[in-house]
Amino acid sequence: MEREPGAPPAQGVEFKATLLLLLLLLLVAGTVAYVLYARGAFEDTQRLVLTVDDAEGVRVGMDLTFSGFPIGRVRRIELGADGVARIVIDVPRKDAHWLRTSSVFVLTRNLLGGTSLKAYSGILTDPPLADGAVRSVLVGDATAEIPRLLADARELVRNLAVLTAADSPLAASLANLQAVTAKMNGPRGALAALFGNERDAQKVVAALDRANALLARLDRLVGTADAQMFGADGVVPEARAAAAQLTATLGAARATLTNVDALLVEAQAVARNARVASADLDALRGEVEASLRKVQWLIDEVNRLWPFARDTE
């Protein structure tokens, strides 16, 4: 049902519009508060100042990372009185324990991708970094190597141009190589290419032929010497037979020496027995002489007592 012109407005419309406006304002304020909270505006932080000669690529809101995790955020970038860029970073108190007095800060400019700020703490037992500390930044710029790479590439192209020129040493070497290859394809092959002329190559071939003939003669001489030395009627079989006879003779001599040794043993025994017998004979001789003296005395006594005995002095 349409309202007639000039009729008074419906009751509660202004109240509803005001309520909707207040709700919108509350929604906007909540969104702003949430954004500020998400960006750490209400978080307790400490300040860190990084100095660098060139802050190109660094922007407000960039993260300071440690082991790949954000532990701080760039608050502002300012230029110091000495012409050095100062990067002011807010670090939450709960993450400040990762930063130590020995920490190293690196600003990396990648060839592909953006710029990044990284912190490295090798010794976590060092004292923590104080609030408001000022530290210098090490810069690792991959794009700084591009001019040097371009200069090296330009120098390489120049050297290639010199090498591939028509009057270059490489061209002369290739020409000489082609000439050597042509000579190697000739009648004498590699010998002609090695000596440079046909005459010297022919001399080498003749020397090789003579060497082959000499080797053939040596082969025949070796065969003859082998037959004379190791053949059926050679020196080696005769020497082997003589050695066999000498071995048999030595065996007989060994047996003879064994018999002689036995005879010597028996002779030693006989000599020992003869020595004993001679000692007994000496005793027997003494006894016989004593008996003879007794017999002589008895004969003398008989002669003296015999009545017909002669008076002798």
Side-chain angles (χ1 to χ4, degrees), residues 95-135:
D95 295 327
H97 66 280
W98 296 115
L99 301 179
R100 301 289 173 170
T101 55
S102 60
S103 297
V104 178
F105 301 92
V106 179
L107 175 62
T108 305
R109 297 188 182 97
N110 299 317
L111 185 61
L112 298 176
T115 304
S116 59
L117 275 171
K118 298 180 180 180
Y120 298 93
S121 298
I123 306 176
L124 295 177
T125 57
D126 287 344
L129 196 63
D131 188 6
V134 179
R135 302 296 300 273

Side-chain angles (χ1 to χ4, degrees), residues 241-255:
Q245 293 178 359
L246 180 60
T247 302
T249 303
L250 290 176
R254 188 181 298 110

Side-chain angles (χ1 to χ4, degrees), residues 93-197:
R93 295 285 182 181
K94 63 182 182 62
D95 295 327
H97 66 280
W98 296 115
L99 301 179
R100 301 289 173 170
T101 55
S102 60
S103 297
V104 178
F105 301 92
V106 179
L107 175 62
T108 305
R109 297 188 182 97
N110 299 317
L111 185 61
L112 298 176
T115 304
S116 59
L117 275 171
K118 298 180 180 180
Y120 298 93
S121 298
I123 306 176
L124 295 177
T125 57
D126 287 344
L129 196 63
D131 188 6
V134 179
R135 302 296 300 273
S136 60
V137 179
L138 301 176
V139 179
D141 192 357
T143 59
E145 299 293 329
I146 294 179
R148 188 177 64 84
L149 291 176
L150 291 176
D152 293 342
R154 190 180 299 109
E155 184 68 20
L156 180 61
V157 171
R158 187 182 300 111
N159 293 334
L160 288 175
V162 172
L163 287 175
T164 56
D167 55 348
S168 65
L170 180 61
S173 299
L174 291 176
N176 293 332
L177 181 61
Q178 185 176 3
V180 170
T181 304
K183 289 182 179 180
M184 292 179 67
N185 292 329
R188 297 298 176 184
L191 290 176
L194 181 63
F195 292 99
N197 55 74

Side-chain angles (χ1 to χ4, degrees), residues 5-124:
Q11 296 180 356
V13 174
E14 294 180 357
F15 176 74
K16 293 179 179 180
T18 303
L19 186 61
L20 181 60
L21 182 60
L22 291 175
L23 183 60
L24 181 61
L25 290 175
L26 288 175
L27 182 61
V28 171
T31 303
V32 172
Y34 176 75
V35 171
L36 291 176
Y37 173 77
R39 296 184 65 85
F42 305 106
E43 193 174 14
D44 187 17
T45 60
Q46 73 177 39
R47 179 172 296 182
L48 171 65
V49 180
L50 301 179
T51 60
V52 64
D53 294 334
D54 186 3
E56 182 182 358
V58 181
R59 64 186 184 280
V60 176
M62 177 187 293
D63 292 330
L64 172 66
T65 60
F66 176 83
S67 298
F69 293 90
I71 61 172
R73 184 174 288 108
V74 177
R75 180 177 180 183
R76 69 175 182 272
I77 304 171
E78 58 188 17
L79 187 63
D82 54 355
V84 177
R86 294 167 55 89
I87 305 171
V88 181
I89 300 175
D90 289 336
V91 180
R93 295 285 182 181
K94 63 182 182 62
D95 295 327
H97 66 280
W98 296 115
L99 301 179
R100 301 289 173 170
T101 55
S102 60
S103 297
V104 178
F105 301 92
V106 179
L107 175 62
T108 305
R109 297 188 182 97
N110 299 317
L111 185 61
L112 298 176
T115 304
S116 59
L117 275 171
K118 298 180 180 180
Y120 298 93
S121 298
I123 306 176
L124 295 177

